[in-house]
Amino acid sequence: MPSLITLDLKRVYRTGKDDLFNDFYKKAMSVSVQYDRAVGYFSSEILSISLKGLSKLISSNGRMRLIIGHPLSNEEFDAVKQGLLLKDLTTELSTKLEEILLVSDGKHPRLELLSYLIASGNLDIKFALRRAGMYHEKIGIFKDEHGNFLVFQGSANETPHGMLSSLNAESLSVYKSWEPEIFEAYGKEFLDGFERLWKNQEDDIVTLDVPSETYTKISNRFDKKLSHYIDVEDF
């Protein structure tokens, strides 16, 4: 059966020499049942263009956990709230997700897809807040059904600009759990760090549910065109 180990994956990917999206991201996603991502910026467009890769995660009732350091756009936040309202429509959700999986990459409306991933429980989102500055790490963790982990860290956000070779120049370093010495030295701290972030246990960072009352206040006050810092003590 396909697993992360069976993929021909490099240890370093760089735009220009590599296609980060097709050579790494989409391949790893296609055999994963869990995907954890902590980034500064997220765009729901990446979900739409990654649909074929997401199909394994969705069909296996897997989960994507996303931590962001910049608030969602207003329309994405509305889509998340709409997804929560749809959670009780179990039969309709199953049918809709089956329809989504039949659509080619990039063809499905991104906001509708975001809503249904939230509604189905396949996607959870949290917001990381610092006292000054912004949460701006870029960590990713793939896990397959055999319990193998693939940790990556680098410059790319969870956006088309971060992953598509025709846009930004980015780089990723990759750490494989089946290479234990390297993974213990480099990958494990990112793996453990994500769990601390998700559980709101990281020093100097507050991790909030999306949506939540505090997140809504922050989102309303955040200047989405400028890097506007929010003081956590205001909330």
Side-chain angles (χ1 to χ4, degrees):
M1 298 182 68
S3 71
L4 290 167
I5 295 179
T6 63
L7 303 179
D8 184 19
L9 297 174
K10 298 169 59 175
R11 293 192 178 95
V12 176
Y13 290 84
R14 297 184 68 239
T15 303
K17 188 175 182 180
D18 306 294
D19 182 335
L20 272 61
F21 182 72
N22 290 300
D23 295 346
F24 172 72
Y25 183 86
K26 197 169 166 183
K27 286 170 64 175
M29 182 76 78
S30 69
V31 298
S32 296
V33 297
Q34 181 168 314
Y35 177 46
D36 296 333
R37 190 74 156 114
V39 291
Y41 293 88
F42 163 78
S43 169
S44 56
E45 291 177 56
I46 197 70
L47 298 174
S48 185
I49 64 175
S50 306
L51 195 53
K52 287 183 180 177
L54 278 169
S55 63
K56 169 69 174 179
L57 185 146
I58 296 171
S59 62
S60 63
N61 198 30
R63 186 183 183 198
M64 177 178 175
R65 297 186 295 174
L66 174 66
I67 301 172
I68 55 176
H70 188 279
L72 299 169
S73 69
N74 290 335
E75 58 183 2
E76 287 172 337
F77 189 34
D78 288 342
V80 168
K81 291 186 286 187
Q82 178 63 24
L84 292 175
L85 294 175
L86 294 171
K87 271 188 175 291
D88 294 331
L89 306 177
T90 307
T91 304
E92 291 85 345
L93 277 178
S94 299
T95 301
K96 191 63 179 181
L97 282 172
E98 288 176 5
E99 293 175 0
I100 288 174
L101 292 177
L102 296 175
V103 178
S104 299
D105 282 5
K107 301 296 185 181
H108 201 279
R110 62 186 179 87
L111 296 175
E112 185 180 17
L113 175 58
L114 178 59
S115 289
Y116 277 96
L117 287 174
I118 292 289
S120 65
N122 293 119
L123 173 62
D124 293 309
I125 304 177
K126 294 193 177 188
F127 178 76
L129 172 68
R130 289 183 59 80
R131 183 178 300 278
M134 163 186 185
Y135 178 76
H136 205 250
E137 281 189 297
K138 289 96 173 177
I139 300 168
I141 305 162
F142 291 106
K143 181 183 178 181
D144 66 22
E145 60 189 343
H146 307 286
N148 302 304
F149 288 95
L150 187 69
V151 173
F152 66 96
Q153 186 271 339
S155 64
N157 281 297
E158 192 75 356
T159 64
H161 275 78
M163 285 295 175
L164 299 185
S165 59
S166 59
L167 298 170
N168 291 358
E170 309 281 3
S171 62
L172 300 173
S173 296
V174 178
Y175 310 108
K176 310 166 185 178
S177 65
W178 55 99
E179 296 178 346
E181 186 172 345
I182 296 174
F183 190 80
E184 186 68 27
Y186 300 100
K188 192 172 185 303
E189 173 54 30
F190 293 119
L191 185 70
D192 295 342
F194 182 91
E195 290 298 331
R196 292 195 300 270
L197 274 169
W198 190 259
K199 296 174 182 177
N200 192 28
Q201 297 173 347
E202 195 70 290
D203 292 341
D204 301 319
I205 298 175
V206 177
T207 308
L208 308 169
D209 290 333
V210 178
S212 65
E213 182 178 349
T214 303
Y215 172 81
T216 300
K217 291 179 181 179
I218 292 171
S219 182
N220 289 339
R221 290 183 54 179
F222 208 103
D223 185 337
K224 296 182 174 62
K225 293 183 179 179
L226 300 173
S227 294
H228 181 70
Y229 299 143
I230 303 293
D231 192 335
V232 67
E233 291 182 352
D234 290 344
F235 301 94

